[in-house]
Amino acid sequence: MSNDFYTFDAEVRTELGTGASRRLRRADKVPAILYGAGKDAVSLTLDHNKVNQAQDHEGFYTHILTLNIGGESVEAILKDIHRHPFKPKITHLDFQRVDPNSKIHTNVPIHFIGDEEVSKKGATAVHQLTEIEITCLPKALPEFIEVNVADLVPGDSLHLSEIKLPAGVASVELAKGADHDQAVVTVNANKAAPAEDSEEASDSDAE
């Protein structure tokens, strides 16, 4: 996906408060805040339509984003997104500045492959985690972590320590110690369907 997709024009927001935010939303704008990297927090406004289109794509949540603010390009990651409880509206965004020399702390999704191969063995791959909490420098940030389960059989499991992370990427949980080595996926055998002849035998006994 092009870098333009992850680039957003933003304006500094001077009017704050609930009333001001409501007026912005009625004008199809999204209030936001940008913080981090040892700098003061800045209140911003972004175009709702572009953000709404971007939020349908997984990369919006894990990619390094570019915010164009008054002629300055600022790199940031999305830290939080607030949505209206029942309307298809985004109500607020939280961005964290990215320092190329400082590690960032975020979650990245897991992409499981090979589930179909597990199914052919009469089993189901149960995804215990859907994302992994990581730390890394911005240049090493992956959009997702791929986990191949094709070779697993019933009774098998994969833990965080067995997942190959990209170079420069570390698991936050594993850094806490061996007792935080969470299961990422387990494989359970499917329950066997009752045999037809057993059903017929039961019918005969009933007669």
Side-chain angles (χ1 to χ4, degrees), residues 33-50:
I33 188 167
L34 173 67
Y35 58 85
K39 298 180 180 180
D40 292 338
V42 179
S43 296
L44 302 172
T45 302
L46 286 80
D47 178 71
H48 181 273
N49 290 335
K50 181 163 186 179

Side-chain angles (χ1 to χ4, degrees), residues 12-172:
V12 175
R13 179 164 51 104
T14 55
E15 290 187 40
L16 307 178
T18 303
S21 294
R22 286 175 180 165
R23 288 191 293 274
L24 286 172
R25 294 179 188 122
R26 284 197 294 269
D28 283 332
K29 301 291 184 180
V30 183
I33 188 167
L34 173 67
Y35 58 85
K39 298 180 180 180
D40 292 338
V42 179
S43 296
L44 302 172
T45 302
L46 286 80
D47 178 71
H48 181 273
N49 290 335
K50 181 163 186 179
V51 172
N52 198 38
Q53 291 172 6
Q55 62 99 30
D56 287 333
H57 298 269
E58 184 179 70
F60 178 59
Y61 304 90
T62 58
H63 203 276
I64 301 290
L65 309 174
T66 299
L67 303 178
N68 291 327
I69 309 169
E72 179 188 5
S73 293
V74 179
E75 290 191 331
I77 57 172
L78 179 71
K79 292 298 289 184
D80 201 5
I81 182 169
H82 304 263
R83 296 179 175 88
H84 193 279
F86 56 87
K87 294 180 181 179
K89 284 279 189 180
I90 298 166
T91 58
H92 197 273
L93 298 164
D94 291 6
F95 295 104
Q96 180 181 326
R97 293 185 187 89
V98 167
D99 179 345
N101 299 311
S102 299
K103 289 186 176 182
I104 55 179
H105 181 160
T106 190
N107 294 330
V108 293
I110 302 172
H111 285 188
F112 291 95
I113 60 174
D115 282 4
E116 300 82 1
E117 295 302 316
V118 173
S119 297
K120 292 176 184 177
K121 302 169 189 174
T124 300
V126 181
H127 304 161
Q128 304 291 351
L129 297 178
T130 58
E131 58 185 18
I132 297 178
E133 190 177 6
I134 65 164
T135 58
C136 65
L137 289 174
K139 66 180 182 181
L141 178 64
E143 289 197 22
F144 58 85
I145 303 294
E146 189 172 85
V147 175
N148 192 335
V149 302
D151 294 333
L152 301 183
V153 297
D156 283 350
S157 63
L158 285 178
H159 288 73
L160 282 173
S161 60
E162 300 171 279
I163 304 304
K164 182 175 176 56
L165 298 177
V169 177
S171 163
V172 171

Side-chain angles (χ1 to χ4, degrees), residues 168-183:
V169 177
S171 163
V172 171
E173 285 300 311
L174 286 180
K176 298 176 183 177
D179 56 339
H180 288 265
D181 191 10
Q182 299 171 305

